[in-house]
Amino acid sequence: MISWAAGNGDRSENGDYIYGRQRLRQIDRRLGWLAKRMKAAKVVDPAAAPDRTRVFFGATVTIADEDDNQLILTLVGDDETDARQGLIGWGSPFARALRGSAVGDVRRVALPAGEKEYEVIAIAYPPA
């Protein structure tokens, strides 16, 4: 598109050329960001967790609130989240509050509707 727009004449007032250059810069920035993420990515096997009694990456946690409403959540990478399936990102408020907790621990979670306390009922990891 840029080469076509450049062939249309004056580039200083050519909207297609200017928009095409802006879009190309956006794509280049996104590619750079993704390249950095790929270099920093690590494969973590939750089945090889050394301490299976505490909540860490890959754990499936059953929690209950004050009204005994239970939630089952799995801590996954921030790019793998899917709230409908109970997959929450490692950096989410829920995950930050649950990290390192054991069965029976009560954790306070800051939610948009206000703070709420949850008790850890069960912790499970994939089989080794």
Side-chain angles (χ1 to χ4, degrees):
M1 182 170 135
I2 294 173
S3 61
W4 169 80
N8 288 340
D10 186 14
R11 294 179 185 175
S12 64
E13 295 181 12
N14 188 334
D16 289 331
Y17 179 77
I18 293 169
Y19 173 75
R21 295 282 301 183
Q22 287 176 341
R23 184 71 182 126
L24 189 59
R25 281 193 299 272
Q26 289 173 346
I27 291 168
D28 286 342
R29 273 194 304 273
R30 179 72 176 165
L31 285 173
W33 181 81
L34 288 171
K36 284 193 332 192
R37 297 263 320 196
M38 291 297 292
K39 285 180 186 176
K42 296 179 199 171
V43 176
V44 177
D45 184 11
D51 184 4
R52 297 168 83 82
T53 63
R54 298 206 170 269
V55 177
F56 295 108
F57 183 84
T60 298
V61 186
T62 304
I63 57 176
D65 63 7
E66 298 94 6
D67 301 325
D68 206 28
N69 296 322
Q70 291 190 0
L71 286 171
I72 299 174
L73 305 170
T74 302
L75 278 63
V76 297
D78 289 329
D79 296 327
E80 303 170 288
T81 62
D82 186 353
R84 282 184 240 151
Q85 294 183 0
L87 304 175
I88 61 170
W90 179 248
S92 71
F94 254 118
R96 285 193 310 263
L98 292 173
R99 283 188 218 163
S101 62
V103 173
D105 287 354
V106 175
R107 296 295 174 109
R108 186 178 305 257
V109 180
L111 300 171
E115 288 191 351
K116 203 168 186 182
E117 287 188 346
Y118 289 91
E119 180 181 356
V120 177
I121 305 296
I123 300 169
Y125 284 91

